[in-house]
């Protein structure tokens, strides 16, 4: 596969295709399919039968495979190709690939960017995150607002934000005795609190008069509120460097909802409250992807069909 463009290092550390970009996962998968077909044909002619046996493998079909194919419910096995390079597994097209969050955190260069990845992973929309003000954050237990004992934040709809970031939810909110009350209340994890203090103590500019959480770190507008388009571009660049490709902020929300449903044994009400939706039907029909990979279903298939090669 190195000869056709895979990123394979030679004994002295040099790459094949020096000066050229390595092939992407789709191109390598196509090349692997061609190679497998060639070797299987040669094996059928009596050439290198041992290699043909190693390539002639199959696997159990997943639930997604059955839904995508005609008469998929009667399929007992699907061919697999050992030559295909391993990539990040994605449970659903709208979700993050497995391990993408960890790779992004290793790739981003700024504490602000680590905050963005961690807080989006906590279920926030990109407009909600970029529209947060420092006064919206109550990151200690028993905050003065009295509306939540655990560390939390208030998502407030502010149409006049200088970076044009607006929260989608329009719950009523107000400021009482210097503290924000109301809005959409979301609990904050210890990881989110950690990234907040790392960002505030190392990169947040002193004397920023706008009071918004996310600011630009470079260029002529350093210290000004960071627009959602800037956060989207940062995630896109980091995703390409990390390997998953372009990462969209909303994929975090799909992954968060599915994780909550997994932890809550499919309880839609818990997922609705955690994500801030108006109805459980939205969670069930749009954001819930817990049935994409079902180990119990796979085990039942093995019982019925037996182990494949």
């Amino acid at each position: 596969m190195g000869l056709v463009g895979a990123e394979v290092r030679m004994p002295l550390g040099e790459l094949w295709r020096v000066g050229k970009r390595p092939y992407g996962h789709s191109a390598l998968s196509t090349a692997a399919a061609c190679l497998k077909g060639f070797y299987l044909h040669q094996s059928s002619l009596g050439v290198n039968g041992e290699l043909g046996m190693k390539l002639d493998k199959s696997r159990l079909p997943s639930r997604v495979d059955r839904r995508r194919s005609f008469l998929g419910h009667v399929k007992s096995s699907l061919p697999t190709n050992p030559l295909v390079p391993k990539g990040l597994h994605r449970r659903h097209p709208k979700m993050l690939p497995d391990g993408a969050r960890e790779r992004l955190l290793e790739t981003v260069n700024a504490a602000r960017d680590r905050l963005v990845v961690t807080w989006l992973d906590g279920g926030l929309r990109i407009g909600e995150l970029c529209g947060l003000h420092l006064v919206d954050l109550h990151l200690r237990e028993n905050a003065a607002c009295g509306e939540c004992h655990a560390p939390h934040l208030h998502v407030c709809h502010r149409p006049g934000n200088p970076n044009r970031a607006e929260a989608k939810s329009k719950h009523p909110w107000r400021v009482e005795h210097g503290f924000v009350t109301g809005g959409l209340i979301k609990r904050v994890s210890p990881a989110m609190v950690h990234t907040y203090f790392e960002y505030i103590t190392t990169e947040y500019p002193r004397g920023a008069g706008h009071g918004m959480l996310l600011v630009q770190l470079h260029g002529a507008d350093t210290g000004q509120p960071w627009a959602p388009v800037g956060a989207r571009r940062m995630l896109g660049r980091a995703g390409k460097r990390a390997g998953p490709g372009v990462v969209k902020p909303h994929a975090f929300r799909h992954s968060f909802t599915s994780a909550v449903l997994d932890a809550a044994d499919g309880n839609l009400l818990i997922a609705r409250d955690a994500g801030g939706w108006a109805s459980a039907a939205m969670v069930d029909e749009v954001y819930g992807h817990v049935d994409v990979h079902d180990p119990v279903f796979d085990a039942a298939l093995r019982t019925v069909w037996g182990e494949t090669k």
Side-chain angles (χ1 to χ4, degrees):
M1 292 300 294
L3 290 174
V4 296
E7 190 174 350
V8 178
R9 292 190 177 274
M10 297 295 290
L12 298 180
E14 296 181 359
L15 283 170
W16 288 105
R17 292 174 51 84
V18 176
K20 298 181 180 180
R21 292 182 57 188
Y23 287 178
H25 190 272
S26 297
L28 290 174
S29 299
T30 302
C34 296
L35 284 175
K36 178 182 177 180
F38 171 77
Y39 288 130
L40 289 181
H41 177 68
Q42 294 296 314
S43 177
S44 67
L45 298 178
V47 179
N48 204 345
E50 182 180 355
L51 177 59
M53 293 179 61
K54 291 182 179 179
L55 294 179
D56 190 16
K57 298 291 184 179
S58 60
R59 62 177 176 84
L60 289 172
S62 66
R63 184 170 297 181
V64 175
D65 295 325
R66 294 177 179 276
R67 289 177 176 175
R68 288 176 176 173
S69 60
F70 181 67
L71 296 179
H73 62 285
V74 300
K75 290 185 178 294
S76 60
S77 65
L78 287 175
T80 186
N81 190 351
L83 297 176
V84 175
K86 294 182 179 180
L88 292 175
H89 174 67
R90 189 185 297 267
R91 294 178 60 189
H92 189 276
K94 293 184 178 180
M95 294 174 61
L96 290 172
D98 292 345
R101 174 183 175 274
E102 289 73 17
R103 293 198 178 195
L104 287 172
L105 289 175
E106 294 173 357
T107 303
V108 296
N109 302 316
R112 179 203 61 187
D113 301 341
R114 287 189 289 272
L115 181 146
V116 170
V117 173
T118 305
W119 285 45
L120 287 176
D121 195 53
L124 287 171
R125 297 181 177 93
I126 189 65
E128 295 173 345
L129 177 58
C130 292
L132 286 175
H133 288 238
L134 296 177
V135 295
D136 301 333
L137 311 180
H138 297 165
L139 305 183
R140 63 180 180 85
E141 295 184 354
N142 300 317
C145 67
E147 295 183 298
C148 182
H149 294 295
H152 63 279
L153 57 85
H154 299 256
V155 177
C156 304
H157 179 75
R158 293 185 178 93
N161 280 332
N163 60 353
R164 299 182 180 180
E166 296 184 15
K168 186 177 181 180
S169 57
K170 299 181 180 180
H171 298 269
W173 63 278
R174 60 185 181 276
V175 179
E176 292 183 353
H177 307 294
F179 295 96
V180 172
T181 60
L184 177 61
I185 300 175
K186 293 190 175 184
R187 297 183 64 173
V188 175
S189 68
M192 295 169 69
V193 175
H194 174 76
T195 55
Y196 166 80
F197 281 107
E198 180 190 11
Y199 164 58
I200 288 294
T201 56
T202 59
E203 296 177 353
Y204 195 82
R206 294 184 178 181
H210 49 73
M212 301 196 70
L213 173 63
L214 298 180
V215 300
Q216 300 186 48
L217 301 179
H218 307 286
D221 295 327
T222 299
Q224 295 302 309
W226 202 31
V229 64
R232 293 179 188 275
R233 290 173 178 172
M234 180 276 294
L235 288 172
R237 295 190 299 268
K240 291 180 179 179
R241 295 196 306 269
V246 177
V247 175
K248 296 183 178 180
H250 211 59
F252 287 92
R253 192 160 169 83
H254 282 269
S255 297
F256 167 79
T257 309
S258 295
V260 172
L261 284 173
D262 280 334
D265 295 328
N267 192 315
L268 296 175
L269 296 180
I270 294 178
R272 179 201 65 185
D273 294 339
W277 286 282
S279 67
M282 176 66 71
V283 178
D284 188 26
E285 297 173 4
V286 179
Y287 288 89
H289 311 301
V290 295
D291 62 338
V292 173
H293 174 70
D294 190 347
V296 177
F297 181 76
D298 292 344
L301 282 179
R302 292 187 178 92
T303 302
V304 175
W305 297 108
E307 296 291 341
T308 59
K309 293 184 292 182

